[in-house]
Amino acid sequence: MQAFGGNVFNEIYDYIVIGSGSAGGVIAARLSEDATRTVLCLEAGTENERYIWTRSPLGGAFMIHNPKVNWNDFSQPNESHGNRSIHVPHGKILGGSSAINATVVNRGQKADYNSWAQMGCRGWSYDDVLPYFKKLESTSIGSDDQRGRSGPIDVTYSSKLSPFYDLFIESAKAAGIPYNPDYLGVRQHGVAMAQIAARRGRRKSTATEYLAPARGRRNLTIVGGAHVMSLLLEGKTCVGVRVQRKGQLYDVRARREVIVSCGAINSPKLLELSGIGNAGILGKFGIEAVHNLPGVGENLRDHYGPIIKWSLTKPGISICDQGRGWKFARELLRYVIFGTGFMAQGLATMRVFARSRDGVEDSDIQMMANPFLVEVKGGTGISGTEGTRSMSPLNGFYMSTQVQRPESAGTVHIQSADPIKPPAINYRFLATENDRRVAIASVKLARKVVSMPPLGDYVDKEIFPGPQVETDEQILEFIRTTGSTTYHPVGTCKMGPDPMAVVDERLRVHGIAGLRVADTSIMPTIVSGNTSIPAMMIGEKAADMIIADA
Ligand SMILES: Cc1cc2nc3c(=O)[nH]c(=O)nc-3n(C[C@H](O)[C@H](O)[C@H](O)COP(=O)(O)OP(=O)(O)OC[C@H]3O[C@@H](n4cnc5c(N)ncnc54)[C@H](O)[C@@H]3O)c2cc1C
């Protein structure tokens, strides 16, 4: 059935997948590989998998505030991070956040997954999930035992566009951080060029690599502009969804299962709107609790940290000129003709995985460096993630740092029974002593790397926050009042056997039949790294479990 005009829905499908993002896109594509299974994939955002800015890895910069492709939420102000609202972009388009993100490829560390297994999530140790990480990628990087060679998502290195990258690597080495070209291999610790989900300048999202090739299947229906308002429950069994499309409401039924893959912000929201969640919270909005599940919307984790900026003494190290004027026009042309240059690389080109102190098993800090500066107009102009961004003419570079395994946990809950209203997102960054210690250590480490030769020989000065921010108290205040997330919300429908868990180790919602959640919300703790590839892994594993359980 085609997805245009009027009622595009059949009355019933075997499986309904809600959300076409990093996880949902994979699940819909995998389930529909067998022509005997009918699959409906519902996406609230546009179904145009070739939306212009999604093509280039750098396009993420142009979509970060665009409500056409992004839910563009904001958190509640909270004292723990300077009483500021934090921007929470997440994809609202075919491919979800994999279509608008910075394309950085990461898995986290072995220990992340092994600790999930230790918490009671059987089947999620690193040895269990490695086959799925390999299945989803195709790369020539690293060794055969660790990396995938023939999966849908191409993984390549971000390219070196100036001497900055080698200078930075040498300075990181001088600061005691080893060069580790494959941070997805056996060990993450080290400095390297970012690996990105792109080839020849083309972003590889679940929209382009999983759903586009599957679109022709008669048993797969992909519908964009389809906002699921609630789940249809008969007693404690999920039997379908209520979906709004072009102002009309439709009830569509699932013969076997409904899979919620709306991401860590919208999955708990949808469960709560459907009467699955903390009965006390639901009651405030007149929603009857079909199933009292207190963990829904709790345990929100994300990566948080500040941006630090430096100016340079020598031209030619920063690439700030490539994003402005005629050189930008040249870069555009180069991109269109050869698929190379500034537009072809990701937004976050250098990665550093480091330890906040001796004795930490593997990196608890991630840092990123880019050889240019960004100007922000509007917003607070402080964190670099609000307002309109453009390339600064200043000859300089910046780094961002983040706490990789934050203990501080927040919440996502509905603030209205109206499905169109965004949920209340409450982060509590820096709420624990260890998070504060690691955050302070990360700023000191970034400064140490930059002070080292050879890069240090070309540094003019730190222009933000500046050398006057010196003591631990001053650094913490700087982080608290200017930090931002790296857009990795997870954990709000966590997996496990404990009373606060929302899904079991096969991602089935506790207490409700016919319903699974499969996306970053199921992570019991945040992985030590970027979250898109882990979400795709969750999608691959979920699809296998759904097929096996049928
Ligand atoms: C700006 C940005 C930059 C990032 N950079 C990186 C990076 O470089 N590397 C990395 O690894 N990670 C990055 N991330 C994070 C990563 O992309 C996400 O963690 C990951 O894609 C989340 O996958 P998901 O499947 O959980 O959710 P999503 O991919 O967000 O998918 C959820 C989908 O569900 C749809 N949906 C939601 N509610 C409904 C509803 N009610 N009805 C129908 N559809 C609905 C959404 O529109 C969306 O398409 C970034 C994220 C952002 C926003």
Side-chain angles (χ1 to χ4, degrees):
M1 175 167 299
Q2 269 309 304
F4 303 99
N7 180 7
V8 294
F9 304 111
N10 290 339
E11 200 180 315
I12 192 160
Y13 299 83
D14 291 331
Y15 296 97
I16 300 179
V17 182
I18 314 171
S20 67
S22 294
V26 173
I27 297 168
R30 290 296 186 202
L31 290 182
S32 60
E33 279 174 353
D34 181 334
T36 63
R37 290 187 284 260
T38 55
V39 180
L40 172 66
C41 179
L42 297 168
E43 170 53 51
T46 169
E47 63 191 44
N48 177 4
E49 82 260 5
R50 301 247 174 240
Y51 180 77
I52 180 76
W53 286 118
T54 64
R55 294 178 190 193
S56 145
L58 199 69
F62 301 93
M63 296 184 284
I64 199 147
H65 283 284
N66 185 345
K68 276 191 192 153
V69 293
N70 182 343
W71 295 85
N72 215 20
D73 288 326
F74 284 84
S75 76
Q76 310 285 311
N78 191 294
E79 220 178 303
S80 74
H81 47 266
N83 275 318
R84 293 168 307 132
S85 232
I86 306 267
H87 184 209
V88 189
H90 49 124
K92 188 179 181 184
I93 181 172
L94 207 69
S97 302
S98 78
I100 71 161
N101 69 15
T103 70
V104 172
V105 166
N106 203 340
R107 290 176 180 170
Q109 298 164 11
K110 277 185 177 184
D112 298 325
Y113 301 95
N114 290 340
S115 76
W116 293 3
Q118 286 300 328
M119 287 173 203
C121 304
R122 229 173 332 161
W124 291 86
S125 72
Y126 193 68
D127 284 349
D128 291 318
V129 299
L130 181 59
Y132 296 104
F133 278 127
K134 292 174 75 174
K135 184 178 183 184
L136 69 85
E137 69 172 1
S138 176
T139 186
S140 58
I141 299 169
S143 59
D144 288 352
D145 58 331
Q146 297 296 317
R147 304 304 303 268
R149 303 301 186 209
S150 57
I153 302 286
D154 283 321
V155 178
T156 57
Y157 281 121
S158 187
S159 42
K160 295 178 180 173
L161 302 176
S162 82
F164 175 84
Y165 309 88
D166 287 330
L167 292 171
F168 186 89
I169 289 170
E170 289 308 313
S171 288
K173 281 161 63 181
I177 300 165
Y179 177 56
N180 176 14
D182 188 12
Y183 57 88
L184 278 78
V186 281
R187 195 171 41 90
Q188 191 186 53
H189 186 232
V191 57
M193 291 302 292
Q195 295 183 35
I196 57 175
R199 186 176 292 282
R200 284 188 277 279
R202 283 296 169 104
R203 171 192 294 270
K204 305 292 176 174
S205 70
T206 56
T208 58
E209 309 311 307
Y210 280 88
L211 292 173
R215 258 183 191 274
R217 295 177 191 155
R218 293 170 66 102
N219 61 323
L220 173 64
T221 307
I222 302 168
V223 184
H227 189 145
V228 176
M229 315 298 264
S230 66
L231 303 168
L232 300 178
L233 296 166
E234 283 176 6
K236 297 215 174 190
T237 301
C238 182
V239 295
V241 300
R242 175 156 299 168
V243 54
Q244 188 180 59
R245 186 163 185 272
K246 297 187 173 170
Q248 295 285 319
L249 283 177
Y250 304 92
D251 284 355
V252 189
R253 292 177 74 87
R255 206 173 279 116
R256 290 184 179 279
E257 287 195 33
V258 173
I259 300 105
V260 177
S261 299
C262 298
I265 304 300
N266 282 352
S267 285
K269 176 187 165 191
L270 184 61
L271 294 189
E272 289 186 339
L273 287 169
S274 312
I276 303 166
N278 181 326
I281 294 171
L282 305 191
K284 279 194 221 159
F285 305 102
I287 298 172
E288 193 195 334
V290 178
H291 188 63
N292 184 20
L293 208 46
V296 173
E298 299 294 312
N299 190 44
L300 169 65
R301 316 273 177 130
D302 206 335
H303 292 130
Y304 176 86
I307 284 173
I308 311 163
K309 304 177 185 181
W310 291 267
S311 54
L312 288 158
T313 51
K314 193 173 178 272
I317 296 172
S318 157
I319 57 166
C320 54
D321 51 345
Q322 294 185 14
R324 302 174 68 84
W326 70 268
K327 283 197 178 164
F328 185 51
R330 185 192 63 187
E331 286 305 312
L332 271 175
L333 202 62
R334 181 193 291 192
Y335 177 68
V336 171
I337 298 173
F338 304 111
T340 58
F342 180 56
M343 293 292 295
Q345 67 165 3
L347 270 167
T349 43
M350 307 284 323
R351 315 308 301 184
V352 181
F353 301 95
R355 298 185 177 108
S356 64
R357 63 178 171 202
D358 285 347
V360 175
E361 180 68 20
D362 202 339
S363 18
D364 54 352
I365 292 172
Q366 185 178 169
M367 304 196 285
M368 181 269 282
N370 262 333
F372 54 82
L373 290 167
V374 174
E375 248 175 14
V376 185
K377 294 203 177 84
T380 63
I382 291 176
S383 73
T385 62
E386 301 147 56
T388 316
R389 302 186 203 192
S390 59
M391 201 91 146
S392 163
L394 251 177
N395 179 23
F397 67 97
Y398 72 92
M399 289 181 71
S400 78
T401 74
Q402 36 171 300
V403 179
Q404 285 239 88
R405 288 187 290 282
E407 297 165 343
S408 309
T411 60
V412 177
H413 289 298
I414 49 167
Q415 47 185 344
S416 159
D418 178 355
I420 302 300
K421 291 248 164 73
I425 303 166
N426 268 297
Y427 282 122
R428 295 196 189 96
F429 295 121
L430 307 171
T432 74
E433 184 54 42
N434 196 54
D435 288 359
R436 293 191 286 272
R437 181 190 63 76
V438 177
I440 294 167
S442 73
V443 171
K444 289 181 175 171
L445 188 61
R447 283 173 161 175
K448 183 175 173 189
V449 168
V450 166
S451 71
M452 290 289 174
L455 181 61
D457 296 340
Y458 301 107
V459 170
D460 171 29
K461 59 176 188 281
E462 183 182 300
I463 51 176
F464 184 75
Q468 77 287 354
V469 173
E470 205 178 356
T471 65
D472 283 7
E473 290 71 28
Q474 289 168 334
I475 293 173
L476 181 61
E477 189 56 14
F478 157 65
I479 300 167
R480 207 187 275 294
T481 53
T482 70
S484 151
T485 76
T486 39
Y487 321 125
H488 299 159
V490 309
T492 50
C493 299
K494 78 164 186 166
M495 165 173 63
D498 60 281
M500 292 304 281
V502 174
V503 297
D504 68 9
E505 78 277 7
R506 298 188 78 73
L507 308 185
R508 297 171 296 210
V509 173
H510 287 298
I512 301 284
L515 184 63
R516 290 188 215 232
V517 179
D519 54 30
T520 54
S521 73
I522 64 98
M523 294 184 183
T525 55
I526 193 163
V527 295
S528 311
N530 315 56
T531 45
S532 190
I533 295 292
M536 292 183 202
M537 175 278 288
I538 291 167
E540 290 280 10
K541 186 165 164 56
D544 255 16
M545 291 191 295
I546 294 164
I547 292 166
D549 291 351

